[in-house]
Amino acid sequence: MVSLGYSIGLYPPNHCSKLFGDCQLGDSNTEPYIAAHNVILSHATVVDIYRKKYQVEQKGMIGIVMNTYWFEPLRNISADRLVVQRTLSFSVAWFLDPIIYGEYPPEMCILLGSSLPTFSIEEKNKLENKLDFIGIIHYSTLYAKDCEFSQWDFNKYQWLWNASVFFTGERNGIPIGVPTPMPLFHVVPYGLEKIVSYVKERYNNTPMFITENGYPLGSNSNVSTEDLINDSRRVE
């Protein structure tokens, strides 16, 4: 949501550079990373409060929920295989690496340089509280293609442009999975297993919950109530 609000201006506060959308204000090169930095520090502050004031008595757990895509290389070349890992760093690891390890992913540090905020010693100390679980939202998988800025396709869905990635739901005109009424949402069941495995391995088997997963339906008066209740495509 940070990228959609501060990179391409699709969601409030509708900030972006002119190149990326019809925004009155914004800087797509810096604002998404400042906003995300504040989200991470807000998480650390809340965890700190919960650990000190409530967790012992309540015996509860505290974590963060990540909206995730899985990515497959568009072409069978090393550049696209590498861009898959880079794209995951600019999405999932962007938030979880600082929370778990106290630093942003190396790929982000290399590509963004001074545009990426840094953590003070005090902030790193607060980040040491980490979390008890990771929540996973996952709906679909996309193809990722390595590309230069000049080759980039400027449209409202390409929110990870700083990763030098173009993503798409098709290869040679063939969808990666059964299309749905929402653009870039396809039925790709294996993607859920792959993103869970990625998070498991990168973050030392931290407990996970699948907090959101499903199938988007468009408005269609021809669909019967029985079919809507049965909801077989969501089960698939």
Side-chain angles (χ1 to χ4, degrees), residues 5-42:
Y6 290 92
S7 183
I8 58 176
L10 193 61
Y11 287 0
N14 308 110
H15 279 207
C16 66
S17 300
K18 288 294 183 182
L19 188 62
F20 297 94
D22 186 20
C23 301
Q24 298 300 312
L25 297 169
D27 182 347
S28 301
N29 287 309
T30 59
E31 287 192 2
Y33 307 107
I34 295 169
H37 196 73
N38 287 327
V39 169
I40 293 163
L41 293 177
S42 297

Side-chain angles (χ1 to χ4, degrees), residues 19 37 51 89 93 117 123 126 134 164 186 209 216 219 221 230:
L19 188 62
H37 196 73
R51 295 264 198 257
S89 290
E123 290 166 347
K126 194 172 287 187
I134 298 168
S164 297
H186 299 77
F209 297 98
S219 299
S221 59
N230 194 31

Side-chain angles (χ1 to χ4, degrees), residues 67 86 105 117 120 124 138 166 182 196 212 219 227:
N67 185 44
R86 190 164 71 242
S120 67
K124 285 187 176 184
H138 179 78
F166 170 79
M182 283 192 70
V196 165
E212 199 174 319
S219 299
D227 286 339

Side-chain angles (χ1 to χ4, degrees), residues 39-176:
V39 169
I40 293 163
L41 293 177
S42 297
H43 165 85
T45 298
V46 171
V47 172
D48 187 55
I49 293 169
Y50 188 71
R51 295 264 198 257
K52 291 176 179 176
K53 296 186 65 174
Y54 302 106
Q55 191 165 34
V56 173
E57 180 181 350
Q58 294 181 354
K59 298 179 174 61
M61 298 172 68
I62 188 166
I64 194 168
V65 177
M66 297 299 305
N67 185 44
T68 68
Y69 274 87
W70 180 251
F71 297 94
E72 292 288 336
L74 179 64
R75 302 164 296 179
N76 186 25
I77 60 175
S78 59
D80 284 7
R81 288 190 288 272
L82 287 172
V83 85
V84 165
Q85 296 307 311
R86 190 164 71 242
T87 305
L88 290 167
S89 290
F90 270 77
S91 52
V92 180
W94 179 5
F95 292 85
L96 289 180
D97 269 28
I99 291 170
I100 303 295
Y101 300 121
E103 300 285 355
Y104 285 111
E107 296 93 334
M108 295 189 75
C109 296
I110 291 169
L111 287 176
L112 296 175
S114 60
S115 296
L116 193 63
T118 57
F119 297 103
S120 67
I121 294 175
E122 180 184 359
E123 290 166 347
K124 285 187 176 184
N125 289 338
K126 194 172 287 187
L127 281 167
E128 287 182 357
N129 283 311
K130 296 182 175 49
L131 42 66
D132 299 316
F133 71 88
I134 298 168
I136 298 293
I137 297 173
H138 179 78
Y139 280 92
S140 193
T141 293
L142 295 169
Y143 291 118
K145 174 186 176 183
D146 181 61
C147 67
E148 298 294 332
F149 181 80
S150 59
Q151 302 170 316
W152 199 74
D153 181 21
F154 293 99
N155 69 58
K156 64 182 179 179
Y157 300 112
Q158 300 291 331
W159 63 86
L160 294 175
W161 74 273
N162 266 324
S164 297
V165 57
F166 170 79
F167 46 81
T168 176
E170 295 185 353
R171 179 164 59 192
N172 299 326
I174 300 172
I176 193 170

Side-chain angles (χ1 to χ4, degrees), residues 203-225:
Y203 302 110
N204 304 318
N205 205 18
T206 297
M208 269 181 283
F209 297 98
I210 307 302
T211 56
E212 199 174 319
N213 174 253
Y215 180 90
L217 288 171
S219 299
N220 188 340
S221 59
N222 296 323
V223 179
S224 68
T225 302

